[in-house]
Amino acid sequence: MIDVQNISKSFADKVVLKNINVVFETGKTNLIIGQSGSGKTVLMKSLVGLIEVDEGSIIYDGRNFTAMNFRERKEVRKEFGMVFQGGALFDSLNVLQNVLFPLNVFSTMSKSEKLDRAHFCLKRVNLEHAAHLFPSEISGGMKKRVAIARAIALNPKYLFFDEPNSGLDPQTSIVIDNLIKEITEEYQTTTIINTHDMNSVMEIGEKIVFIYKGNKLWEGTKHDIMHSDCPELNDFIFASEFTRLIKKNIKNLT
Amino acid sequence: MRMLLFHIGRYVLLMKKVFSRPEKGRVYINQTLDELVTIGFNSVGIVVIISIFMGAVITLQTAYNLENPLIPVYLIGLGTRDSMILEFSSTVVGLVLAGKVGSNIASEIGTMRVTEQIDALEIMGINSASYLILPKILAAVFFFPFLTIISMFVGIFGGWAAGVLTGAISSTAFIYGVQYAFVPFYVVYALIKTVVFAFIIVSVSAYEGYYCQGGALEVGRASTKAVVYSSLVILLFNVIITQMMLAK
Ligand SMILES: Nc1ncnc2c1ncn2[C@@H]1O[C@H](COP(=O)(O)OP(=O)(O)O)[C@@H](O)[C@H]1O
Ligand SMILES: [Mg+2]
């Protein structure tokens, strides 16, 4: 469980996050949704300490991450796995070496154990056959899967995904979404996913937090979201003709 | 002016981060060896080519300007030697390397920044500044002096070849001039300059890449800025070091 208490962040004069309070639950897929530029990435990077918050604290299962020094944070970071928006694979390393990287940094395993673990993770995302390829040689969806394999290499307790579906076609997106959901359930991780993709929301939105211009305006589940009375959220969900059509039909049904 | 102070301050902080205690020594050694190849060996070709031509041009220009029959012709060899050693093998080679190596480093690190590879390192608790930049600094500071020495020899050879082939000077006169009144301290001076320039090229270019923000366009800009600023800083330090070491 990650307990976010009152965090705020500004860049120069620009307020990007305002007094965010939220709890991300263990064993669930927690979604942060909102338009581009609403502050999702800044919020996620604040959670993991890539961005220092101006105010507030972030508590990881009772441990106050915000108050820790570099060394103490490193201990908690061993329990993090993060998938960045573009995958952020290391260009100079092949797929297998990318997955081995965190193992080499953190793990005390022997060399062959590390290799086994890396192969296991690649198998988990169905990419054993691509182990020797370089990031420049694989598709966007494969990059995301390698990034997922790298993120789960150390058996993390907390998983962070920044727009895991950006740049992917709807079918590949659903494969990735379901992979994230399965991993979350299998390993009981606290999983946080940034997205602006309504398909993902309906597919895996167990807990949803809506961010609008740096404010948390709404939270709930995918079952509540269609009936929310938050106007900004409705504008966000029903932005397209397609979703408006769905809404009309839902109303007709009920 | 405020911007300049801001950049200098952030640069100093970055360097502090680069030189704070590295974590796994072995990783750094491997990285440094890789960088020796990318930064060092891969620059030998361009250094050889420009040095040959520079030596040749210095010789020919000196020869054409020495019309006065009272001035001994072997001074052409001496002039080529001293120009190569004092200025060309370090400063001009430094400027060329700022173009080649500097733009490379800025775009490599800048790409890692905008594609969040640096964030990926940081989240694993790795000191990304040290991990990415220190091996490059070590490799350049170690290898550039060899490039300078290569440049000195090749440049003088180029001068000899041009002088002899065009008939501007005889081989014996040129070689006599090259050996005449040789000041070993000039070589030391050139090597010290080179080490400083190596540090400037890598650190300034890495700085531009490390704080790059945005996308491919910004990476391109960072790479241009890396070349411009490292060249300017090289020229500035060329004056400072010269004043410190050669002024009587
Ligand atoms: N390092 C930074 N410096 C200044 N402004 C930033 C920085 N990072 C993000 N921002 C601003 O914060 C806002 C939220 O950005 P972001 O979290 O990336 O949005 P998104 O919800 O699309 O992920 C944007 O307006 C962006 O310009
Ligand atoms: Mg974002």
Side-chain angles (χ1 to χ4, degrees), chain A residues 37 40-42 85 162-163 194:
Chain A
K40 302 182 296 293
T41 300
V42 172
Q85 190 159 352
D162 194 4
E163 311 231 357
N194 277 353

Side-chain angles (χ1 to χ4, degrees), chain B:
Chain B
M1 189 63 203
R2 259 188 61 198
M3 274 324 272
L4 182 67
L5 287 178
F6 166 77
H7 284 295
I8 292 176
R10 202 166 60 160
Y11 170 87
V12 171
L13 289 179
L14 179 66
M15 287 306 119
K16 224 180 109 192
K17 209 175 154 201
V18 168
F19 287 102
S20 58
R21 205 174 64 85
E23 287 159 61
K24 272 188 187 169
R26 227 186 57 237
V27 180
Y28 285 81
I29 294 172
N30 290 339
Q31 300 262 100
T32 306
L33 292 177
D34 284 349
E35 296 295 348
L36 274 178
V37 176
T38 0
I39 295 181
F41 283 111
N42 291 350
S43 301
V44 172
I46 190 163
V47 167
V48 166
I49 291 169
I50 56 165
S51 302
I52 285 195
F53 283 100
M54 279 182 330
V57 165
I58 297 167
T59 301
L60 296 181
Q61 283 180 352
T62 320
Y64 298 141
N65 286 314
L66 276 187
E67 306 252 289
N68 189 334
L70 289 179
I71 298 175
V73 74
Y74 68 78
L75 282 185
I76 298 172
L78 183 144
T80 304
R81 180 198 72 204
D82 281 354
S83 311
M84 278 311 299
I85 292 179
L86 284 172
E87 208 48 37
F88 286 84
S89 68
S90 51
T91 312
V92 175
V93 166
L95 292 173
V96 170
L97 290 173
K100 181 183 183 292
V101 175
S103 61
N104 224 316
I105 290 175
S107 58
E108 180 190 331
I109 295 182
T111 303
M112 293 191 72
R113 168 59 76 191
V114 303
T115 59
E116 301 181 302
Q117 292 176 53
I118 292 184
D119 285 333
L121 288 172
E122 286 285 328
I123 202 179
M124 293 179 212
I126 292 173
N127 175 347
S128 61
S130 173
Y131 181 82
L132 294 175
I133 303 173
L134 189 56
K136 295 187 199 300
I137 291 181
L138 294 178
V141 164
F142 176 78
F143 203 86
F144 280 17
F146 291 100
L147 292 177
T148 295
I149 290 171
I150 292 172
S151 167
M152 290 172 184
F153 279 103
V154 174
I156 293 170
F157 169 79
W160 170 83
V164 172
L165 287 176
T166 58
I169 182 174
S170 74
S171 177
T172 358
F174 188 92
I175 291 168
Y176 179 77
V178 166
Q179 293 169 338
Y180 185 80
F182 174 60
V183 185
F185 179 68
Y186 287 174
V187 177
V188 176
Y189 156 80
L191 292 178
I192 289 177
K193 284 207 298 187
T194 303
V195 168
V196 174
F197 296 165
F199 183 81
I200 291 171
I201 292 170
V202 177
S203 60
V204 171
S205 308
Y207 171 82
E208 289 298 337
Y210 197 81
Y211 288 109
C212 177
Q213 258 183 4
L217 189 66
E218 284 77 11
V219 174
R221 284 208 190 107
S223 147
T224 308
K225 278 200 231 157
V227 178
V228 173
Y229 294 138
S230 49
S231 301
L232 287 175
V233 178
I234 284 177
L235 293 174
L236 176 68
F237 273 81
N238 190 29
V239 177
I240 295 174
I241 297 172
T242 304
Q243 177 61 25
M244 276 166 50
M245 290 188 69
L246 295 189
K248 301 221 164 83

Side-chain angles (χ1 to χ4, degrees), chain A:
Chain A
M1 188 182 85
I2 308 172
D3 190 357
V4 178
Q5 300 174 347
N6 251 320
I7 63 169
S8 297
K9 176 70 191 175
S10 311
F11 292 107
D13 299 334
K14 192 174 173 201
V15 182
V16 179
L17 296 177
K18 270 172 258 171
N19 280 321
I20 306 273
N21 279 289
V22 60
V23 172
F24 297 109
E25 294 166 27
T26 306
K28 278 194 182 170
T29 43
N30 302 271
L31 266 55
I32 301 172
I33 63 170
Q35 295 169 347
S36 287
S38 55
K40 302 182 296 293
T41 300
V42 172
L43 175 55
M44 183 169 279
K45 289 192 177 172
S46 302
L47 296 182
V48 297
L50 286 173
I51 292 177
E52 290 301 327
V53 291
D54 301 333
E55 271 171 60
S57 5
I58 299 149
I59 320 281
Y60 282 86
D61 290 303
R63 296 168 294 178
N64 187 343
F65 187 69
T66 323
M68 292 178 180
N69 65 26
F70 181 82
R71 216 158 276 284
E72 292 164 332
R73 281 188 183 189
K74 196 169 172 180
E75 284 304 307
V76 181
R77 278 185 168 150
K78 283 184 191 170
E79 302 169 5
F80 291 180
M82 183 154 177
V83 174
F84 291 88
Q85 190 159 352
L89 301 180
F90 301 123
D91 292 322
S92 55
L93 305 179
N94 71 21
V95 165
L96 181 65
Q97 290 164 333
N98 262 285
V99 181
L100 275 170
F101 196 95
L103 293 165
N104 286 332
V105 174
F106 281 123
S107 168
T108 48
M109 293 179 195
S110 74
K111 206 166 181 162
S112 71
E113 283 170 327
K114 285 180 198 165
L115 265 176
D116 286 348
R117 176 72 193 158
H119 280 293
F120 172 83
C121 294
L122 280 176
K123 204 162 162 183
R124 186 68 194 74
V125 299
N126 279 322
L127 276 179
E128 306 140 278
H129 59 280
H132 57 281
L133 296 177
F134 280 86
S136 57
E137 300 170 324
I138 61 180
S139 70
M142 287 164 87
K143 277 185 199 157
K144 290 281 166 68
R145 283 189 282 154
V146 177
I148 294 176
R150 183 174 72 182
I152 61 173
L154 287 163
N155 256 322
K157 285 173 72 175
Y158 311 98
L159 273 172
F160 303 88
F161 296 85
D162 194 4
E163 311 231 357
N165 296 331
S166 67
L168 302 183
D169 60 89
Q171 273 179 315
T172 312
S173 296
I174 288 182
V175 172
I176 300 277
D177 283 342
N178 286 320
L179 184 61
I180 294 173
K181 185 140 193 279
E182 284 163 30
I183 288 171
T184 303
E185 281 164 11
E186 225 171 289
Y187 303 105
Q188 285 296 301
T189 55
T190 305
T191 303
I192 301 173
I193 303 147
N194 277 353
T195 186
H196 54 231
D197 180 1
M198 278 313 290
N199 287 325
S200 302
V201 172
M202 297 320 287
E203 192 79 19
I204 57 171
E206 292 185 286
K207 166 152 188 172
I208 302 164
V209 179
F210 175 60
I211 304 286
Y212 181 80
K213 292 189 179 160
N215 295 287
K216 187 183 100 175
L217 290 193
W218 184 87
E219 74 172 75
T221 69
K222 67 180 177 183
H223 307 294
D224 318 329
I225 198 164
M226 286 294 176
H227 315 287
S228 94
D229 48 14
C230 169
E232 290 86 356
L233 177 59
N234 284 328
D235 288 347
F236 174 75
I237 305 172
F238 305 111
S240 74
E241 193 61 38
F242 181 60
T243 45
R244 281 193 291 272
L245 201 70
I246 294 176
K247 187 178 186 176
K248 221 169 86 191
N249 283 321
I250 293 177
K251 274 196 179 138
N252 290 346
L253 286 175
T254 49

